[in-house]
Amino acid sequence: MNHKKYHTCLLMICIFLMNIGLTKAQNPVSDGEISGKVLDETQKAFPYATISLLNAKDSTVVKGTLSQDNGTFQFKSLKAGNYLIGFYVVGYKKVFKGPYGIGPEKKSHNTGSVQLSTDSKLLKGVEIVHQKPLIERQVDKMVLNVENSALAAGNTALEILQKSPGVTVDKDGKISLMGKQGVTVMLDGKPTYLSQEQLANLLRATEGNAIQSIELITNPSAKYDAAGNSGIINIKLKKNRNFGTNGSVYVGQGIGQYYKVNGGLSLNHREKKLNVYGNFNYGHNKRFQSTDIMRVNETSANKTYFNQTSSTINNRNNSNFKAGIDYFINDNNTLGFAMNGYNSNGKSTANVNTLIGDRPSKTDSSVVATNPSKYKYTGMAYNLNYKSTIDTLGQEFSADADFAQYKSSEINDFNNIYLNAAGQTYKPDYLFTNQIPTKVNIYSGKVDYTYPINKETKLDLGLKSSFVKTDNSYLFQNFLNNTWVNDVTRSNQFLYDENVNAAYANIKKKFKTTTVQLGLRAEQTNSKGNSVTDQKIVNRHYFDLFPSLFVNQELSKNHDVGFSYSRRIDRPDYSNLNPFVNYLDLYSYRFGNPFLKPQYTNAFELSYSYKKTLNLTFGYSHTSDVMSDVLLTDTAKKTIFISTQNLATQDSYNMNLNYPVQITKWWSSNNNLTVYYNKFKTPNLLGQPYESGRTAFNFNTTQTITLNPNTSIEWSGFYQSKQVYGTLLIDPQYGVDLGLSRSFMDKKINLKVAANDIFKLQKSRITSTLPSQNYVVNERWESQIFRVTCTYRFGSSQIKAARQRSGGSEEEGRRVKSGG
């Protein structure tokens, strides 16, 4: 079936249902309000208690909320009617207050202070309809609640990360956090074990509609793997926990320079003992990108000027799914199995025109190339987990076993035609191709144990072991005498094995106004890189200790300060270790460095919080043997290439300010400013000492305007100033997005309209900080896209299970060192 017609049909169905919703008469909305405060059994404020607004007539749920840190809660914009207020917390007795009448005579009520008392019987709660803010700052992390955002609809996970506070993504999909590369990316708290290139492909294949939230953790504790010098990004996929059978279906369309379409289905069935869930998402994306490279190849004898323009059209099909089952053995024990996978395949064609001359704007010869390619990336990951709540004091045990396999294949053809100044062929065409099949297998197991020593002290212990095996081949062929001939001098097979064994201990103690957490993680690493063709083997065995310290001090009711320290490691990606040459075009290529060493980082962070709303952090880190991409020219071959090298040191300073503001009842604003300075220093680069550094900043703002309970408008903007990374000088980047969200039929149907880069501002310009490297790289891509997404929810949606399990490895993960 034609995908375009299929999704257009689904979209028309959604619009038809939307129109039905519009015809329904609605009760007039008043500015009614009910507020109050929740206290625990000791008369202290009870934060995050579940509070539900019920119809007094039949006790059906109208909506819900959570109490704030000071225990207060508030329901606004209530229609005329009679209401009950229900208070629900697992382990506490259920409390009801009311009825409260909202009408012209009385529009506001206060329940006063409502005290909850403990109950040994766990109670079932009511679904929380409360919508979290788009950006939420928690004690140890920043959370992007993208599930209900109009700006996330139709975008991929990688595109959403580009809009995240303090996050930058370069043209190759490499992710930086707070101005530093070396980010650990996890899915549902699980390791991805992918190289930067394959991770970017996975994130491009993950549709934004499948994402619940994104967690940004800048200074993780010892419970997390030590990998990732700039922190952790955890992408949490949607998982429905409502009782009964329910689900949702969505379809979306987008138009930029080319047409795009996406759609998906989510299903969930939950009983007392069993929860079964699954979702599937599909996206078709055709995109345009242009890259222009102007460079001068200079030797002692002469100069050669290259002016290269290329345009690429990429046709990509993405699909990803997640499925699982949880079996509740009893109230204290849960056994679960989950699997998720992705498939990305497509074709691209790059048209490259390279003008060559001995003076600027003069063409002595040129190379015209048409470079088509085909690719396919697939991945499957399986997880078996068990969790036991040993007692009511918080003693827990969990275990996870994981297996994942990723495969990829690429076929790149290069067809080069040589022309003289008159545009005539002056020597035979040069045709070559490369094929790159890759296979990655990952095995890991871990156990975690939590023991509450007393009410104020908690001990966490854990063990983990992981094994990664990769097999990557690179087949280079030349077209000679009308047949393809293998070039053994440029072909290679590279095998990489890695085993990491780890143990950790965390102890956390809360004093009256001070909380202290000490942690220590030990990791023993065994790695082997084997370049089979070249018969080169690099073996490494090393043991490291990674201490961490966290201190939080409550100065007063509204003021908190904190301090944290951690030591971390980044191991080289397999692709950066692989020594073979990977051609981008005739004059551009990259190659790996099998002698790369891991880099180590000591990171410090000082934080201040006002009313847990305004958050200010200052960070400093020192990294030794820092790994960085270096873009250089080969004057003998007159080419430009990228390789990864260990620069000696990097000192990073950063300041982050996050400030959500409720400007009016209907207008909320979240603003994030990151200022950083990265200083790189090495005693020898191209035969001489090298040092670079520059102060830069990144600013994100998101404005949410609630027109009524069913309609909201979002707009966001970002500005990334000029920055230096290694030897690259990157010009400013900026853009503005706009989104509209509208719900119908009692929120069963949701329509989202979004415009990405509405003013078509996004582009990239890169130059070198090295005076001897004379090049300019300009890039533009199809960033201005208009999207429409319609979602329909069906089935049970009111009653939620009292017990919500959290997977044993939900808070651990790591960046992958291997894979295609």
Side-chain angles (χ1 to χ4, degrees):
M1 177 183 287
N2 183 286
H3 289 297
K4 182 174 179 180
K5 292 181 179 179
Y6 172 74
H7 289 288
T8 302
C9 180
L10 283 178
L11 182 61
M12 294 303 295
I13 292 172
C14 285
I15 294 173
F16 173 74
L17 292 172
M18 173 193 74
N19 290 330
I20 294 175
L22 282 171
T23 62
K24 291 191 173 184
Q26 307 217 354
N27 294 330
V29 178
S30 73
D31 55 352
E33 180 177 299
I34 300 177
S35 59
K37 186 173 184 178
V38 189
L39 304 177
D40 63 14
E41 69 275 17
T42 63
Q43 294 282 333
K44 292 183 180 179
F46 202 134
Y48 310 115
T50 303
I51 303 131
S52 292
L53 182 73
L54 312 172
N55 263 323
K57 182 179 180 181
D58 55 6
S59 296
T60 57
V61 179
V62 178
K63 57 181 174 179
T65 189
L66 296 175
S67 58
Q68 302 299 310
D69 292 288
N70 60 2
T72 61
F73 69 94
Q74 192 175 41
F75 291 105
K76 297 180 180 180
S77 303
L78 300 181
K79 302 175 183 178
N82 293 315
Y83 300 96
L84 296 172
I85 305 295
F87 302 82
Y88 308 82
V89 177
V90 174
Y92 288 78
K93 292 180 180 179
K94 188 184 304 182
V95 176
F96 291 94
K97 291 289 183 179
Y100 301 101
I102 299 294
E105 299 80 18
K106 189 169 181 62
K107 294 185 176 182
S108 63
H109 296 271
N110 192 296
T111 65
S113 295
V114 179
Q115 184 177 1
L116 303 184
S117 57
T118 58
D119 189 350
S120 59
K121 182 180 179 181
L122 297 179
L123 303 175
K124 293 181 180 180
V126 179
E127 182 193 18
I128 300 172
V129 183
H130 169 77
Q131 181 171 320
K132 296 180 180 179
L134 178 61
I135 301 174
E136 183 180 10
R137 182 76 188 197
Q138 298 182 7
V139 175
D140 59 344
K141 58 193 171 188
M142 184 181 296
V143 182
L144 277 75
N145 298 298
V146 302
E147 182 176 9
N148 297 307
S149 172
L151 299 178
N155 287 313
T156 66
L158 193 65
E159 290 168 328
I160 295 172
L161 281 177
Q162 288 176 307
K163 310 174 195 303
S164 303
V167 178
T168 55
V169 181
D170 71 8
K171 62 183 181 65
D172 298 317
K174 293 179 182 177
I175 301 168
S176 299
L177 181 61
M178 301 302 176
K180 295 188 296 179
Q181 291 186 4
V183 182
T184 296
V185 177
M186 304 187 297
L187 285 178
D188 283 332
K190 307 293 182 186
T192 51
Y193 295 96
L194 299 175
S195 68
Q196 291 177 337
E197 179 185 357
Q198 200 164 36
L199 175 63
N201 287 322
L202 185 148
L203 296 177
R204 290 188 186 104
T206 302
E207 294 295 314
N209 294 79
I211 299 173
Q212 175 180 311
S213 62
I214 297 175
E215 299 174 342
L216 309 176
I217 309 169
T218 55
N219 214 2
S221 69
K223 187 173 183 178
Y224 294 89
D225 281 3
N229 85 87
S230 65
I232 290 173
I233 296 177
N234 183 27
I235 300 174
K236 300 181 72 173
L237 302 179
K238 293 178 181 177
K239 180 180 177 182
N240 197 317
R241 293 187 174 92
N242 294 332
F243 266 138
T245 301
N246 50 74
S248 65
V249 60
Y250 78 91
V251 61
Q253 297 186 51
I255 186 69
Q257 190 162 342
Y258 295 100
Y259 177 79
K260 301 101 175 44
V261 66
N262 64 304
L265 173 67
S266 175
L267 292 171
N268 185 82
H269 177 75
R270 183 157 187 162
E271 301 173 355
K272 184 177 180 180
K273 288 282 188 179
L274 200 65
N275 183 43
V276 182
Y277 57 91
N279 59 61
F280 174 81
N281 300 276
Y282 168 80
H284 172 76
N285 198 338
K286 185 177 182 181
R287 283 202 168 185
F288 171 83
Q289 178 173 317
S290 66
T291 303
D292 299 335
I293 303 175
M294 292 175 287
R295 61 187 179 89
V296 182
N297 191 83
E298 185 173 359
T299 65
S300 57
N302 56 51
K303 291 182 179 180
T304 305
Y305 293 81
F306 290 81
N307 186 355
Q308 182 182 87
T309 60
S310 69
S311 61
T312 304
I313 298 176
N314 188 18
N315 226 323
R316 179 188 289 261
N317 296 291
N318 298 323
S319 61
N320 60 279
F321 74 91
K322 178 179 181 179
I325 182 170
D326 293 325
Y327 176 65
F328 304 95
I329 302 170
N330 52 43
D331 287 343
N332 297 325
N333 296 275
T334 304
L335 182 65
F337 174 77
M339 58 188 293
N340 61 72
Y342 82 99
N343 182 298
S344 178
N345 63 82
K347 299 178 180 180
S348 68
T349 301
N351 294 306
V352 186
N353 187 21
T354 306
L355 306 179
I356 307 169
D358 60 3
R359 295 195 306 272
S361 302
K362 180 189 176 186
T363 302
D364 297 322
S365 64
S366 63
V367 180
V368 177
T370 301
N371 302 334
S373 65
K374 295 189 297 184
Y375 54 85
K376 183 176 183 179
Y377 311 103
T378 60
M380 284 292 301
Y382 306 89
N383 168 259
L384 181 65
N385 59 77
Y386 169 74
K387 183 175 181 180
S388 175
T389 303
I390 300 172
D391 56 36
T392 58
L393 299 177
Q395 189 176 185
E396 291 182 349
F397 172 83
S398 65
D400 283 79
D402 292 271
F403 169 73
Q405 184 176 86
Y406 298 92
K407 294 181 179 180
S408 66
S409 63
E410 297 180 20
I411 301 176
N412 304 302
D413 295 327
F414 301 87
N415 307 307
N416 302 283
I417 302 173
Y418 297 93
L419 305 176
N420 58 23
Q424 299 172 336
T425 302
Y426 70 93
K427 69 177 182 177
D429 300 347
Y430 179 32
L431 279 65
F432 65 93
T433 184
N434 56 54
Q435 301 178 33
I436 314 174
T438 300
K439 183 179 179 181
V440 185
N441 286 336
I442 306 112
Y443 308 84
S444 70
K446 66 185 293 288
V447 293
D448 295 286
Y449 173 66
T450 299
Y451 177 70
I453 299 173
N454 53 46
K455 189 176 180 181
E456 291 80 23
T457 310
K458 183 178 73 171
L459 176 67
D460 290 311
L461 301 171
L463 297 171
K464 180 180 178 182
S465 187
S466 65
F467 299 84
V468 181
K469 292 182 174 292
T470 75
D471 185 348
N472 182 271
S473 296
Y474 186 86
L475 178 63
F476 192 103
Q477 295 180 313
N478 293 308
F479 192 69
L480 301 172
N481 300 320
N482 294 320
T483 187
W484 289 104
V485 179
N486 292 340
D487 188 340
V488 295
T489 64
R490 300 187 185 184
S491 299
N492 189 20
Q493 183 184 17
F494 183 74
L495 304 177
Y496 180 70
D497 298 338
E498 183 178 270
N499 163 231
V500 179
N501 303 299
Y504 77 87
N506 261 342
I507 186 165
K508 183 178 181 181
K509 183 173 179 59
K510 182 173 177 57
F511 300 92
K512 188 174 181 181
T513 58
T514 306
T515 302
V516 179
Q517 177 177 293
L518 289 170
L520 181 65
R521 187 178 187 91
E523 291 191 353
Q524 190 260 337
T525 305
N526 307 288
S527 68
K528 179 182 178 181
N530 181 8
S531 181
V532 178
T533 308
D534 296 337
Q535 297 183 345
K536 293 180 180 178
I537 296 177
V538 178
N539 274 308
R540 284 204 172 97
H541 306 278
Y542 47 96
F543 176 83
D544 295 293
L545 293 176
F546 300 96
S548 62
L549 168 65
F550 296 81
V551 180
N552 192 76
Q553 176 68 49
E554 298 178 12
L555 301 178
S556 65
K557 180 180 178 182
N558 296 327
H559 302 274
D560 296 85
V561 294
F563 170 80
S564 65
Y565 160 76
S566 67
R567 183 174 186 256
R568 306 194 64 76
I569 185 175
D570 282 288
R571 302 173 181 91
D573 284 354
Y574 113 88
S575 58
N576 290 334
L577 293 167
N578 197 335
F580 67 65
V581 176
N582 187 4
Y583 282 85
L584 306 176
D585 57 59
L586 184 62
Y587 293 102
S588 309
Y589 58 91
R590 69 175 303 141
F591 60 89
N593 177 4
F595 302 104
L596 274 177
K597 297 180 291 184
Q599 63 182 30
Y600 293 88
T601 299
N602 288 284
F604 304 83
E605 191 170 274
L606 182 65
S607 63
Y608 165 75
S609 175
Y610 174 67
K611 290 187 175 181
K612 300 191 185 302
T613 302
L614 186 150
N615 297 277
L616 179 65
T617 61
F618 297 92
Y620 166 74
S621 67
H622 175 80
T623 303
S624 58
D625 291 321
V626 61
M627 294 179 291
S628 178
D629 279 350
V630 178
L631 182 61
L632 301 172
T633 56
D634 185 329
T635 55
K637 297 180 180 178
K638 298 185 178 182
T639 57
I640 188 169
F641 65 90
I642 300 174
S643 69
T644 305
Q645 298 186 21
N646 286 111
L647 300 184
T649 60
Q650 175 187 353
D651 289 288
S652 298
Y653 306 82
N654 68 74
M655 183 277 291
N656 180 260
L657 174 64
N658 180 254
Y659 188 33
V661 183
Q662 191 69 41
I663 300 173
T664 67
K665 289 183 177 180
W666 47 269
W667 182 3
S668 63
S669 172
N670 194 291
N671 306 283
N672 191 90
L673 173 66
T674 303
V675 181
Y676 54 92
Y677 176 80
N678 291 325
K679 182 179 180 180
F680 297 86
K681 188 175 181 180
T682 184
N684 183 19
L685 183 64
L686 297 178
Q688 58 185 2
Y690 172 74
E691 183 175 320
S692 70
R694 185 183 184 95
T695 301
F697 70 91
N698 178 294
F699 178 71
N700 294 72
T701 182
T702 302
Q703 312 296 318
T704 303
I705 297 173
T706 304
L707 302 180
N708 57 53
N710 294 316
T711 309
S712 64
I713 297 174
E714 286 180 21
W715 76 265
S716 69
F718 80 94
Y719 182 87
Q720 170 65 61
S721 71
K722 198 168 190 175
Q723 60 176 324
V724 168
Y725 203 88
T727 65
L728 304 180
L729 182 61
I730 306 169
D731 275 13
Q733 298 183 37
Y734 37 86
V736 177
D737 300 335
L738 182 65
L740 170 69
S741 178
R742 170 72 172 161
S743 296
F744 307 91
M745 291 180 64
D746 197 23
K747 296 191 176 181
K748 288 186 176 181
I749 290 182
N750 180 263
L751 183 69
K752 295 176 181 177
V753 181
N756 300 118
D757 193 19
I758 192 169
F759 300 116
K760 205 173 182 178
L761 301 172
Q762 294 185 31
K763 59 182 179 180
S764 172
R765 184 176 185 271
I766 299 174
T767 55
S768 178
T769 58
L770 299 170
S772 62
Q773 305 298 304
N774 189 347
Y775 60 78
V776 179
V777 181
N778 289 296
E779 286 193 315
R780 267 199 176 276
W781 54 94
E782 192 176 344
S783 58
Q784 186 186 64
I785 301 171
F786 300 89
R787 302 181 186 273
V788 178
T789 303
C790 181
T791 303
Y792 174 64
R793 295 180 175 87
F794 55 88
S796 171
S797 61
Q798 291 299 324
I799 303 175
K800 179 177 284 187
R803 185 176 181 278
Q804 296 186 27
R805 64 168 288 276
S806 175
S809 60
E810 183 173 345
E811 292 187 352
E812 73 78 40
R814 56 182 272 163
R815 186 181 65 87
V816 171
K817 276 75 61 184
S818 21

